[in-house]
Amino acid sequence: MSAERPFTISSFYKFVTEKKLMAVQCDDCQNLLLPPKPMCTKCFSINLKWIELENTGTLLSYTVIHVAPEEFQSMVPYIVGIVEFENGLHLPGIIRDLPVEQIKIGMKLKIDFDPSTSNVWPEWNRYFFRPV
Amino acid sequence: MSSKPLVSIVSAGLSKFGRHEEHVGRELFAQATKEAFDRCPRLDPIKDIEALFIGHMGESYEHQGHTGPTLADWTGLLPKPAIRIESACASSGSALRTGIMAILSGLHKVVIVGGVENMTHRTTAEVTEFLAMASDMAFEQFNGITFPGLYALMATAHMNKYGTTEEQMAKVAVKNHYNGSLNPKAHLQKEITLKKALESKLVAWPLKMYDCSLITDGASCLILTAPEIAKNFTDTPVHVIGSGLASDTIGLYQRETLTSLKAARVASQEAYKMANINPKDVDVAEVHDCFTIAELLAYEDLGFCSPGKGGNLIDEGITELGGNLPVNTSGGLKAKGHPVGATGTAQAYEIYLQLTGQAQKRQVNDAEIGLSHNVGGSGATASVHLYRRD
Ligand SMILES: [Zn+2]
């Protein structure tokens, strides 16, 4: 299923549509790439494969956005954070369903997937984080 | 401290920073250039200046690209080569580095380096969006993470790891506003209280309005020469003795740490090594305080204190105008303003004034060694330059 997908950001978001958190692994040096890259940036190999990650990670940092770009203004204030998944792989994203008072660096969060797409380029499905 | 100069600054110019409703960027750059020409009467701009290297972040602000030749035209310097350099908010720090390379290569003997941005005619939402373009489109922008948001993520991590407080960050704003009150070219020339800073409205928690630099219009420039001919143009050149430039991941989330900018550490090490000096030799510094937390990170990344101790430096008053190591005597990006493309060479302009004794009310006594630190985006670019008076 994953072998034919090119090692691109667009493929990453196609997996998001399928509710999967995927990273790329180098077959030659085992380096992990998230975001995916078309070439291993450690050994320059193109022998790559997709791997699925556990959907739970640890919150590294967060902020509450009060001044937002146009597209996000209706959501203000919203929380964004950086989550560390297995093997030290990180993703940033919006944290939903969590009152600000309950946020703590180091807490466990789960990645979840939003079926709606944005209607401007890039028309990808969104992922977000929520409490476990 | 016997290092050989890389290049010499023989003149410098700065437009007034602020809201310039009646001007577009090229006109502000002409103001900066005019000051630099006037300050250096022995220079014949048409005969002597051989090339322009211009920092400019975004064509979105003015819907104007192709900045290099536009500025050569507006400053009377056509048909000299004129190139725009883009590294987000570190654009003119990178232009300075490029000018140094052009002179060291032997291709040119006299060049003008500078930068410009005209931002205030845009709405806050538009500027927020344009600035965010310097972050990772696919994961940061796509998730609504703003430019203040990225620094807020660093601030939260620093507070969590080292116990840094909102009050320590606010003290950076109070200090830089005080310095700005002494700078007739600063966007804001008024002091603020700690209470006012702490009670200002939230932008991206824990960063409040007074933790953020100003959206400003402005331009800056330096005239660089090969050191051996500097005295043809001025009796008081300032020598650039170290230049460091480094890059890092575009996405903040991909970094090894959120509490330090690796690019700034690498760039400063390169600059110190080239200049053969230590952080303790620096007498005055202009650092990239796009947000108050950024100034505390700069203290640590530049080796002014150990990791996590940035807050102590501000608490102890060491970086105040009367302290051992005055930082951001110009008012910094915080009070002088942050017309992004103009910032790097505007920092160098302040160091030039300090080392030539022209900083008036904010003059640091007997300053001999200066440093400037210019960061692009959330730290994907950092440039550090070291200067010595003649
Ligand atoms: Zn590899």
Side-chain angles (χ1 to χ4, degrees):
Chain A
M1 123 275 16
S2 68
E4 304 80 29
R5 287 246 171 113
F7 301 101
T8 61
I9 294 168
S10 180
S11 294
F12 170 89
Y13 279 103
K14 271 206 186 86
F15 283 121
V16 164
T17 314
E18 295 161 16
K19 302 187 184 305
K20 286 193 179 101
L21 171 60
M22 302 292 281
V24 164
Q25 184 162 38
C26 172
D27 256 342
D28 289 328
C29 78
Q30 313 310 311
N31 182 34
L32 291 163
L33 299 158
L34 182 66
K37 296 187 176 105
M39 172 183 77
C40 174
T41 44
K42 216 170 219 169
C43 78
F44 310 111
S45 166
I46 53 165
N47 296 320
L48 307 171
K49 66 175 179 230
W50 286 103
I51 58 160
E52 186 166 1
L53 300 180
E54 290 285 336
N55 64 4
T56 302
T58 307
L59 182 65
L60 294 180
S61 191
Y62 68 94
T63 175
V64 187
I65 306 279
H66 291 260
V67 178
E70 197 78 42
E71 190 191 345
F72 293 86
Q73 269 174 22
S74 62
M75 295 168 62
V76 161
Y78 56 95
I79 309 171
V80 295
I82 299 174
V83 172
E84 178 169 281
F85 293 94
E86 57 190 298
N87 303 305
L89 297 173
H90 300 174
L91 278 182
I94 292 176
I95 303 172
R96 294 191 194 167
D97 308 325
L98 181 66
V100 175
E101 315 78 68
Q102 287 176 26
I103 300 184
K104 219 176 144 35
I105 289 178
M107 76 189 298
K108 296 286 173 201
L109 291 174
K110 185 174 155 248
I111 194 166
D112 205 342
F113 305 95
D114 191 331
S116 67
T117 53
S118 70
N119 47 14
V120 290
W121 184 89
E123 290 166 56
W124 297 325
N125 278 66
R126 290 181 192 282
Y127 66 86
F128 59 94
F129 305 130
R130 63 159 73 239
V132 174
Chain B
M1 290 203 275
S2 56
S3 51
K4 192 173 154 287
L6 305 170
V7 301
S8 303
I9 303 170
V10 295
S11 191
L14 188 80
S15 76
K16 164 89 177 67
F17 273 20
R19 186 180 276 274
H20 287 275
E21 274 158 28
E22 72 287 17
H23 290 120
V24 291
R26 64 188 88 163
E27 294 155 352
L28 299 175
F29 190 74
Q31 287 178 17
T33 312
K34 170 70 177 151
E35 182 190 330
F37 292 168
D38 286 352
R39 178 172 260 136
C40 198
R42 282 186 247 158
L43 176 97
D44 177 345
I46 292 170
K47 192 168 125 283
D48 296 324
I49 293 175
E50 297 174 14
L52 298 87
F53 300 98
I54 304 298
H56 179 59
M57 178 183 173
E59 43 275 271
S60 305
Y61 299 106
E62 294 190 83
H63 209 267
Q64 177 66 65
H66 220 155
T67 317
T70 309
L71 300 192
D73 187 4
W74 255 253
T75 51
L77 296 173
L78 290 175
K80 297 161 201 290
I83 308 170
R84 168 207 175 164
I85 315 286
E86 190 277 315
S87 312
C89 320
S91 293
S92 57
S94 298
L96 168 55
R97 165 82 166 206
T98 310
I100 292 169
M101 292 194 293
I103 288 173
L104 283 178
S105 76
L107 189 62
H108 295 301
K109 282 196 159 23
V110 183
V111 303
I112 186 160
V113 297
V116 63
E117 217 79 55
N118 189 21
M119 307 166 77
T120 65
H121 57 292
R122 294 292 190 169
T123 65
T124 302
E126 284 173 331
V127 174
T128 301
E129 189 173 330
F130 299 159
L131 288 172
M133 288 181 193
S135 68
D136 181 13
M137 175 279 291
F139 292 89
E140 291 175 338
Q141 294 170 41
F142 190 67
N143 283 306
I145 305 181
T146 59
F147 196 48
L150 291 165
Y151 275 89
L153 287 162
M154 293 189 239
T156 312
H158 206 271
M159 291 162 77
N160 184 64
K161 185 170 178 188
Y162 297 116
T164 300
T165 63
E166 292 179 53
E167 188 171 304
Q168 287 170 327
M169 292 189 259
K171 281 181 180 174
V172 171
V174 172
K175 169 181 76 72
N176 292 352
H177 272 268
Y178 172 74
N179 293 349
S181 76
L182 304 176
N183 182 357
K185 286 196 171 172
H187 186 160
L188 283 187
Q189 297 170 36
K190 58 174 194 237
E191 296 182 54
I192 56 161
T193 61
L194 191 62
K195 185 167 181 284
K196 183 167 181 177
L198 284 166
E199 287 173 359
S200 61
K201 73 178 201 309
L202 281 164
V203 174
W205 181 89
L207 302 182
K208 295 160 280 288
M209 198 180 87
Y210 277 104
D211 289 298
C212 305
S213 55
L214 293 165
I215 294 167
T216 298
D217 308 323
S220 57
C221 71
L222 309 169
I223 296 168
L224 305 182
T225 70
E228 58 274 15
I229 60 167
K231 289 280 170 79
N232 296 351
F233 301 106
T234 177
D235 297 331
T236 56
V238 166
H239 306 298
V240 181
I241 55 172
S243 172
L245 184 68
S247 49
D248 203 347
T249 60
I250 182 79
L252 174 72
Y253 62 98
Q254 289 184 274
R255 311 264 171 85
E256 290 161 24
T257 171
L258 298 173
T259 57
S260 170
L261 299 183
K262 187 177 181 183
R265 296 201 312 273
V266 172
S268 67
Q269 283 156 16
E270 183 188 13
Y272 286 131
K273 196 173 167 206
M274 211 179 275
N276 192 27
I277 64 166
N278 295 310
K280 65 173 167 38
D281 298 320
V282 175
D283 299 314
V284 56
E286 288 283 300
V287 309
H288 199 90
D289 60 325
C290 50
F291 301 96
T292 51
I293 183 65
E295 180 163 326
L296 300 181
L297 296 178
Y299 296 165
E300 300 170 17
D301 293 337
L302 295 167
F304 297 158
C305 63
S306 53
K309 300 289 185 200
N312 296 37
L313 233 56
I314 195 84
D315 283 340
E316 290 160 15
I318 289 166
T319 54
E320 287 172 14
L321 203 46
N324 258 344
L325 173 54
V327 173
N328 287 332
T329 58
S330 68
L333 287 52
K334 181 66 205 76
K336 184 181 63 186
H338 186 25
V340 283
T343 286
T345 40
Q347 294 173 319
Y349 172 89
E350 176 71 7
I351 297 295
Y352 172 83
L353 293 187
Q354 289 287 355
L355 299 189
T356 53
Q358 300 180 71
Q360 298 172 328
K361 285 184 193 161
R362 56 191 197 284
Q363 181 65 45
V364 173
N365 278 339
D366 214 29
E368 188 182 343
I369 302 277
L371 176 149
S372 66
H373 157 269
N374 187 200
V375 175
S378 65
T381 296
S383 86
V384 174
H385 286 91
L386 287 160
Y387 311 81
R388 189 186 66 213
R389 74 176 182 217
D390 188 54

